[in-house]
């Protein structure tokens, strides 16, 4: 095995661990604050960091302001339902349904924009879904939290599609 290939495996494992940990840490944070407040703090913290990064890169603070507002609202419509959903269900169910958002991109793109889905993508989506089941320990029922997370899933797909179209 080449050394670079090993590094990619380690990076993938680290990403999966951090991704999974983020759901448990959000669940813990929600013990002390409600979902709306946690989302607001998260947005303030992230926007402050990004503001200074962009200033450091020499960008104007209002660079592509309109696109930023649209994507920011879309991101809010992703983060808030996800945080509410995590509060109302288990971290593993939240991880499973949130993971479906990425898998939904080509299907939502087909539904709203008529783009064709390559046949191989169905097999890839199925294998990814099976991987999500293994990583999250499967399905554990369906309640209010899962509905919020499905809204998050759809929002993720729309966000990815729109941001891809903005960058073209």
């Amino acid at each position: 095995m080449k050394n670079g290939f090993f590094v990619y495996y380690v990076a993938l494992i680290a990403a999966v661990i951090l991704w999974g940990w983020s759901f448990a840490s959000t669940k813990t944070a929600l013990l002390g604050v409600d979902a709306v407040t946690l989302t607001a703090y998260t947005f303030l913290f992230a926007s402050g960091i990004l503001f200074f990064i962009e200033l450091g890169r020499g960008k104007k603070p209002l660079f592509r302001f309109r696109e930023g507002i649209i994507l920011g609202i879309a991101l809010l419509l992703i983060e808030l339902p996800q945080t509410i959903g995590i509060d109302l269900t288990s971290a593993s169910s939240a991880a499973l349904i949130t993971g479906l958002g990425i898998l939904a991109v080509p299907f939502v793109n087909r539904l709203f924009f008529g783009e064709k889905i390559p046949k191989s993508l169905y097999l890839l989506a199925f294998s990814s879904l099976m991987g999500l089941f293994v990583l999250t320990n499967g399905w554990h029922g369906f309640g209010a939290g899962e509905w919020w997370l499905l809204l998050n899933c759809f929002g993720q797909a729309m966000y990815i599609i729109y941001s891809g179209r903005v960058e073209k």
Side-chain angles (χ1 to χ4, degrees):
M1 181 184 313
K2 293 182 180 177
N3 190 28
F5 200 64
F6 177 74
V7 170
Y8 293 131
Y9 273 121
V10 171
L12 180 62
I13 290 169
V16 168
I17 290 169
L18 288 172
W19 176 70
W21 178 74
S22 70
F23 292 96
S25 63
T26 300
K27 191 97 175 137
T28 302
L30 287 167
L31 295 173
V33 67
D34 66 281
V36 174
T37 304
L38 180 62
T39 302
Y41 286 149
T42 304
F43 267 66
L44 284 171
F45 181 72
S47 62
I49 289 174
L50 291 174
F51 177 77
F52 288 110
I53 288 173
E54 289 301 301
L55 279 180
R57 292 177 55 197
K59 299 278 186 183
K60 295 178 183 174
L62 299 179
F63 173 72
R64 296 183 82 171
F65 185 74
R66 189 185 88 221
E67 292 90 348
I69 291 294
I70 292 169
L71 288 172
I73 291 168
L75 194 55
L76 175 65
L77 295 174
I78 293 170
E79 289 295 321
L80 188 56
Q82 181 181 45
T83 307
I84 293 169
I86 290 170
D87 194 24
L88 298 174
T89 191
S90 69
S92 62
S93 288
L96 174 65
I97 296 172
T98 299
L100 295 176
I102 302 302
L103 296 178
V105 170
F107 303 101
V108 171
N109 216 359
R110 169 81 173 141
L111 180 67
F112 286 100
F113 301 106
E115 292 193 16
K116 292 196 179 229
I117 301 173
K119 289 187 186 344
S120 61
L121 195 62
Y122 291 101
L123 178 61
L124 294 171
F126 179 75
S127 65
S128 295
L129 181 60
M130 293 301 101
L132 278 171
F133 265 88
V134 169
L135 287 172
T136 62
N137 200 20
W139 197 264
H140 302 288
F142 206 86
E146 285 77 12
W147 282 109
W148 281 104
L149 290 162
L150 280 178
L151 179 61
N152 159 271
C153 176
F154 178 74
Q156 282 182 62
M158 293 304 291
Y159 178 85
I160 292 167
I161 292 165
Y162 178 75
S163 63
R165 291 177 182 272
V166 165
E167 287 302 314
K168 283 185 181 178

